[in-house]
Structure formats: C-alpha cells, structure tokens
Amino acid sequence: MKRLALKLGTWGAMLGMLAGVVELSIGTQIRPWIGDKENPVVLGIVTLFLSGMAFVSMTIASKQDALTNDGKLAIFLGVLLPAAICFTTVGRLWYLPGILLIVSVLFLAFEFWMNSQARDVPVSSERTRKMIAAIGSLVILLSIGLAFWKSAFGLFQVEIPVRVDRVRLEILPMDFVRRTALTNGAMLIENIESSQVMGVYILLILGSVLALIASLTSSRLFTGIGGGVVLIGLLLFLIWLPSILSQAQYTPGFPSLLKSLGWGWYLSTTGMVMILSGVFPKFDSKSIVFCKNSDTK
C-alpha cells in the first residue's frame, strides 16, 4: 500500500508542477481552464511551490522507513495541504493531480496510523488533551461553515445610519466584505472582494485542520503549530480590519471596531484557546510532591 501511495503521490506532484508551469506561462490565454484567475503568474508560482513541497514529501517518505509520529504527520500534511489548496489556485488543471494526491494521502494515512501493529494506549489525561484540542478545531471550522449560512457568524458585522437610511457591513468567507444598503425597505447588496479577508480565513482553516489532524494522531508539536497559525490569523484580522473596511468606505476608530466583531471571531478565539490549552501538559499534585521530595534529597 505504501509503494502505491508513493507512486500516486509522485505522479500527482509532478503533474501539479507541470500545471503550475502552464498557468505561469500561458495562463492568460486559457483562463477558463484555470478558473478565470486574475493573476495567473502569482498563482502559478504558488502552485509550482506547493507541488514541489508534495514532491519533496514523497521523496522523503520513500527514502526513510523508520519515521517518528511527527515525521509521519509532516509528510502527510506536506501532501494534503497542496492537494487541497491548489484546487483554488489553478482550476481545472488541478483535477487530475489533485485526485492523485488525495488518494495518495488516504493510503498514507492508512499505512501510517490505521495499519500500525504497535499502538500506544493513551492515558486518560492524554486522551482528554486530544479531545479538547480536537473540539476546539471543530468549533473554528463549524463557525466558518455557519457563516456561509448565517452572516451573524462572520468575523465582523455593523450597521451604520446614513441620514434616514442604514448601511450594513459584514465580513464573510471566503474573501469578501458585504455592503448592504437598506433604503425604504429595499436592499442593495454589494460584495467587495478582499485578499486580506481570504488570507485570514485561509489561516483559520489551515490552522484548525492542522490542529485537528495532529490531535487525532497524537502530535503535540503540530497541534501547537496549528493553534499558533489560528492565533496569527486572528491577530492579523485585527491589524488589517481598518484597511479591510476602508475598501467599503468605512473608517471608524479602532475601539468601535472591536465592539462590532462577529460571532465568528469570538468562536474562533475560543477554539484557539482550547487548542493551545490541549497542548500544554497538566501537572497534578502527585508530580509536584515527587518533585519536592527529589529536591530535599
């Protein structure tokens, strides 16, 4: 199974690099094939880089038989992340490479964790830690999913009185600021695309998915990294918030912006705290007594 996974992954990565080169070179001439991307040069470079990362991961997996759990997870993520992300960078050209990489990822997961003969039995505290981090990751992903259905779960929402009318501003996944003008019972909706909003949501999704997978595979290191990525996304959102809203001609003071943060921001913050709290070990009273006794000796 591992040999088949390596072959599929290697071919998928090579075809992905080819797709990146095609988008980089002639993307403007085949826009329907690349999802009508506005900047095929940059996205082609991104696709080439991510496909190269998947190829390196496959090469490392083929040359090393004995891998630590963190090493297995690093290879797994080195293939999974390019397979998922590049569906948004290169359009139809990623269909074949993406499918090959996803199948390879499934085979690798089976080989690394489901087909293992020796399995450590986790202690109760370790199981609790994993559950807390996994639930925190799911809270973040659920809040993002709910924002597609209910705008209150977005990262930001505010209503501004403009004379006798009102204007509602909402920041929603995956990459836009929604400006809704409420005039005499009628609504005029305008969606303004923002690369900064997309960057924030990508960080939230990547971090939570990484923490979820890492918690399920008992990798404290990558669980912490996932929580850190979510934290960076939340902090960048606060830093970029005035710039994001200026695209919709709204420039209030920073304190008033904080009062209008949406449920999505608070739920993501709660999930991030749960992830990071599940990373650090808990010290019970017995371990403290043992340390004191050892010091007296």
Side-chain angles (χ1 to χ4, degrees):
M1 176 109 25
K2 182 179 179 180
R3 185 178 300 177
L4 177 59
L6 293 174
K7 286 184 178 180
L8 292 175
T10 301
W11 275 105
M14 293 173 63
L15 290 174
M17 288 188 285
L18 178 60
V21 172
V22 170
E23 183 179 27
L24 176 63
S25 56
I26 60 172
T28 55
Q29 304 174 29
I30 55 170
R31 287 190 182 275
W33 282 88
I34 63 171
D36 294 319
K37 304 300 180 184
E38 295 182 359
N39 201 339
V41 174
V42 174
L43 293 177
I45 294 174
V46 172
T47 303
L48 188 59
F49 171 77
L50 291 174
S51 299
M53 184 173 75
F55 183 80
V56 171
S57 299
M58 288 289 98
T59 303
I60 295 174
S62 63
K63 292 185 177 180
Q64 295 189 13
D65 294 328
L67 292 168
T68 63
N69 191 54
D70 287 339
K72 293 176 181 178
L73 187 57
I75 291 172
F76 177 81
L77 293 172
V79 182
L80 175 63
L81 294 181
I85 294 173
C86 288
F87 276 108
T88 67
T89 63
V90 74
R92 300 178 191 172
L93 295 180
W94 191 252
Y95 286 177
L96 180 57
I99 291 173
L100 291 176
L101 289 176
I102 289 175
V103 173
S104 175
V105 161
L106 295 176
F107 286 162
L108 284 176
F110 179 83
E111 185 68 25
F112 285 161
W113 295 292
M114 301 177 189
N115 197 32
S116 177
Q117 298 297 326
R119 301 190 182 191
D120 297 329
V121 179
V123 297
S124 178
S125 60
E126 182 75 6
R127 188 181 298 113
T128 302
R129 179 187 64 80
K130 289 166 55 178
M131 287 181 59
I132 292 174
I135 292 173
S137 303
L138 292 174
V139 167
I140 298 172
L141 294 173
L142 180 62
S143 69
I144 296 173
L146 288 174
F148 285 98
W149 171 66
K150 192 74 173 177
S151 60
F153 289 95
L155 295 174
F156 183 88
Q157 186 179 56
V158 67
E159 283 196 8
I160 314 160
V162 180
R163 297 179 182 175
V164 296
D165 302 324
R166 290 176 298 155
V167 174
R168 181 187 302 143
L169 294 177
E170 300 162 319
I171 296 179
L172 301 170
M174 278 291 293
D175 63 346
F176 63 89
V177 180
R178 175 172 293 169
R179 188 176 188 273
T180 306
L182 306 173
T183 306
N184 297 326
M187 290 194 305
L188 179 62
I189 299 176
E190 178 186 8
N191 292 328
I192 305 168
E193 292 187 1
S194 172
S195 59
Q196 292 170 314
V197 175
M198 173 175 279
V200 169
Y201 272 111
I202 287 176
L203 288 174
L204 295 180
I205 293 172
L206 286 181
S208 55
V209 170
L210 174 57
L212 177 61
I213 296 173
S215 62
L216 295 178
T217 55
S218 303
S219 175
R220 183 173 295 178
L221 172 63
F222 282 95
T223 302
I225 292 174
V229 171
V230 174
L231 175 59
I232 292 172
L234 292 171
L235 292 177
L236 284 178
F237 177 72
L238 295 179
I239 295 171
W240 289 343
L241 186 54
S243 174
I244 293 171
L245 294 176
S246 66
Q247 301 174 44
Q249 290 79 45
Y250 182 55
T251 55
F254 194 74
S256 61
L257 292 181
L258 296 180
K259 297 178 182 178
S260 301
L261 293 174
W263 277 103
W265 193 88
Y266 290 108
L267 288 173
S268 297
T269 302
T270 302
M272 179 268 299
V273 172
M274 293 177 67
I275 292 171
L276 294 180
S277 65
V279 171
F280 299 105
K282 297 181 179 179
F283 299 97
D284 55 15
S285 59
K286 294 181 180 180
S287 62
I288 296 175
V289 172
F290 176 78
C291 291
K292 289 183 178 179
N293 294 334
S294 61
D295 290 339
T296 56
K297 293 180 180 179

